[in-house]
Amino acid sequence: MMFPQNSWSEFFEVEASKAYFKSLSSFIATQNRDSTFPKDDERFNAYTLSNISDIKVVILGQDPYHGEGQAHGLAFSVQESCTIPPSLKNIYKELVDDIGCEYPQSGDITAWAWQGVFLLNTVLSVEKGKAGSHQKQGWETFTDATISLLSGQRENLVFILWGKPAQTKMKLIDSSKHLVLTAPHPSPLSSYRGFFGSKPFSKANRYLVAHKKSPINWCL
């Protein structure tokens, strides 16, 4: 697997030496590269685009998208040529209502990552057309370690946890020094249960400003 060469390098080196990661690497090596998403050079894009010291907001997703050409290593984001997925459409609806942005025309939210929004899926690979196919292979241990590192090393981050699976990670976050925002998942199945109207974008920015950090320009 291709690891980022930045402030995450030491973290990757430590985790890669552990038994669970060696087992995970062996599993990935047995998978068909052409039908494993995201591609090798994009799998760790969340880490590649965000130095630890620059992160301000953490948004947790679950699996990468499992359609051809969609996933590129950032939670909820798809490559520019793709149709905007249903959950991201609902995120955009809330964005327009909360911040007053124009509705984005692309599903690529890399611009958020460039500003310090860490878009982390809790599982970082998937087999084409098979949602959840790479769960319980070790990714969850790796991303739990990521969340624990950010909670421990940083202060005054905003963690945005949408849906119950993301909210199980609350135990890894020190809420005495970080803001944790929770809401139902933006999926069409659950978004009307309280995701709409939760105003995560304005709440995150108010917290950042209150702690003398520049706000995120959420408009795309």
Side-chain angles (χ1 to χ4, degrees), residues 6-103:
N6 59 8
S7 63
W8 288 101
S9 297
E10 182 179 352
F11 170 78
F12 273 77
E13 183 178 341
V14 170
E15 295 304 308
S17 70
K18 296 179 180 178
Y20 86 88
F21 199 92
K22 293 177 181 177
S23 175
L24 170 62
S25 297
S26 296
F27 168 76
I28 294 296
T30 67
Q31 304 303 297
N32 185 330
R33 292 180 68 182
D34 292 334
S35 58
T36 300
F37 303 143
K39 299 301 182 185
D40 288 352
D41 61 347
E42 296 179 322
R43 187 163 299 138
F44 297 111
N45 265 353
Y47 299 83
T48 301
L49 295 175
S50 300
N51 279 311
I52 295 170
S53 61
D54 296 331
I55 292 171
K56 300 175 184 177
V57 179
V58 180
I59 298 180
L60 287 186
Q62 298 173 36
D63 266 18
Y65 296 112
H66 54 81
E68 184 77 46
Q70 289 183 301
H72 62 134
L74 301 175
F76 294 105
S77 184
V78 291
Q79 301 194 58
E80 190 168 355
S81 59
C82 295
T83 301
I84 300 173
S87 290
L88 186 55
K89 285 183 178 178
N90 286 337
I91 291 171
Y92 284 174
K93 288 178 182 177
E94 179 63 17
L95 177 67
V96 171
D97 180 65
D98 183 10
I99 301 286
C101 300
E102 292 186 9
Y103 191 93

Side-chain angles (χ1 to χ4, degrees), residues 180-192:
V180 180
L181 299 176
T182 63
H185 196 273
S187 159
L189 298 175
S190 57
S191 55
Y192 289 93

Side-chain angles (χ1 to χ4, degrees), residues 58-191:
V58 180
I59 298 180
L60 287 186
Q62 298 173 36
D63 266 18
Y65 296 112
H66 54 81
E68 184 77 46
Q70 289 183 301
H72 62 134
L74 301 175
F76 294 105
S77 184
V78 291
Q79 301 194 58
E80 190 168 355
S81 59
C82 295
T83 301
I84 300 173
S87 290
L88 186 55
K89 285 183 178 178
N90 286 337
I91 291 171
Y92 284 174
K93 288 178 182 177
E94 179 63 17
L95 177 67
V96 171
D97 180 65
D98 183 10
I99 301 286
C101 300
E102 292 186 9
Y103 191 93
Q105 299 304 303
S106 166
D108 185 345
I109 56 176
T110 303
W112 291 356
W114 288 336
Q115 298 179 73
V117 180
F118 193 57
L119 298 162
L120 179 67
N121 280 318
T122 53
V123 174
L124 299 186
S125 63
V126 70
E127 183 179 349
K128 180 180 179 179
K130 296 183 179 180
S133 51
H134 288 188
Q135 292 179 359
K136 299 181 180 179
Q137 297 293 337
W139 283 128
E140 294 90 344
T141 303
F142 179 76
T143 53
D144 279 3
T146 299
I147 296 165
S148 295
L149 178 148
L150 288 172
S151 176
Q153 289 193 5
R154 297 294 313 284
E155 293 186 358
N156 306 133
L157 299 183
V158 181
F159 288 85
I160 298 178
L161 311 180
W162 290 325
K164 290 182 180 178
Q167 288 160 22
T168 65
K169 308 301 182 182
M170 288 180 67
K171 64 182 181 292
L172 304 172
I173 302 166
D174 184 350
S175 58
S176 71
K177 63 173 184 173
H178 303 291
L179 176 65
V180 180
L181 299 176
T182 63
H185 196 273
S187 159
L189 298 175
S190 57
S191 55

